[in-house]
Amino acid sequence: MKVLLIEDDETIASFIVKGIKECGYLVEHATRGDDGLDLALNESYDIAIIDIMLPRRDGLSIIREMRKKNILTPVIILSARGTVENRVQGLRIGADDYLTKPFSISELIARIQALLRRASGMAGPTVLTAGDLTMNLETRVVTRDGMPVELKPKEFALLEFLMYNRSRVVSKKMIMDHVWDYAVGIGANVIESHISRLRSKIDRDEEKKLIHTVPGVGYVFEERNLE
């Protein structure tokens, strides 16, 4: 999962970035409103966290411009402005949630995960399921048919991305953008290698396979019988 954070307070931003990364998500941070808007309009994110009072461009105008351009990325407003009128205004402009400062990082993470579930059409608290595969986002425990599956952090992030996009074809570029950081400069072979290892851990010896290759396009995650 890839998060855009637009926050000019470096102390608050570092606190949020640390918390988001500990969940295994990628995060890009902009301190100025104009820079944040440029990222929001030209890059792909799973969720955006936007402060209102920002230098160069305020957060409300960023959200307004995103919606005007039909960018539907879920948005959480994070602001010191906490009156009912402020919250109503933010939600009416197009934000999906509103959290006032001061806040707890655990509440922010819970709201991020709730919006991600809503965006993917999944229900339930913090557990993703597909057939007999279960992924607990809080305890980071994965099981298949009740048996634990040991995953490395990047494998966990990759599986989470695939499960959130269940039954949708995802390209290698989409995986690269949402699971890896561009700065790492990885190639397609790295993604193929991780997909292969993930397959061996969750699909090997199983009659119903979950990860499928779409030749020339990418991958799709859904339950299918072994052909």
Side-chain angles (χ1 to χ4, degrees), residues 84-124:
V84 172
E85 289 77 14
N86 294 145
R87 295 196 296 273
V88 169
Q89 182 187 26
L91 295 172
R92 282 181 172 167
I93 281 176
D96 299 273
D97 199 355
Y98 197 112
L99 186 60
T100 55
K101 301 174 182 175
F103 62 95
S104 74
I105 190 64
S106 59
E107 182 179 4
L108 177 60
I109 296 298
R111 291 183 183 227
I112 289 172
Q113 292 173 337
L115 280 182
L116 290 173
R117 287 197 302 276
R118 190 191 306 170
S120 65
M122 289 187 172

Side-chain angles (χ1 to χ4, degrees), residues 177-222:
D177 288 350
H178 291 259
V179 181
W180 271 267
D181 193 326
Y182 263 129
V184 177
I186 67 165
N189 60 319
V190 174
I191 294 173
E192 292 165 2
S193 174
H194 277 74
I195 287 286
S196 176
R197 284 202 294 273
L198 192 55
R199 268 196 179 121
S200 71
K201 291 184 177 182
I202 68 169
D203 271 349
R204 187 171 58 188
D205 302 328
E206 298 289 343
E207 182 178 351
K208 292 185 176 180
K209 307 298 183 185
L210 294 170
I211 301 175
H212 310 277
T213 300
V214 180
V217 182
Y219 306 94
V220 64
F221 184 92
E222 62 184 7

Side-chain angles (χ1 to χ4, degrees), residues 6 33-34 37 49-68 75-79 81 83 85-98:
I6 310 176
D34 54 351
L37 177 61
I49 303 167
I50 303 176
D51 188 11
I52 291 180
M53 293 177 284
L54 295 164
R56 301 295 181 94
R57 184 156 194 153
D58 70 90
L60 294 179
S61 72
I62 293 173
I63 299 167
R64 190 181 293 111
E65 192 66 17
M66 289 171 66
R67 299 315 187 216
K68 183 179 176 183
V75 171
I76 298 176
I77 289 178
L78 192 59
S79 176
R81 298 178 179 175
T83 66
E85 289 77 14
N86 294 145
R87 295 196 296 273
V88 169
Q89 182 187 26
L91 295 172
R92 282 181 172 167
I93 281 176
D96 299 273
D97 199 355
Y98 197 112

Side-chain angles (χ1 to χ4, degrees), residues 122-149:
M122 289 187 172
T126 54
V127 177
L128 307 181
T129 60
D132 58 1
L133 181 72
T134 300
M135 174 179 235
N136 190 310
L137 301 177
E138 284 190 345
T139 63
R140 299 183 71 79
V141 171
V142 177
T143 62
R144 178 139 199 202
D145 196 22
M147 299 299 293
V149 179

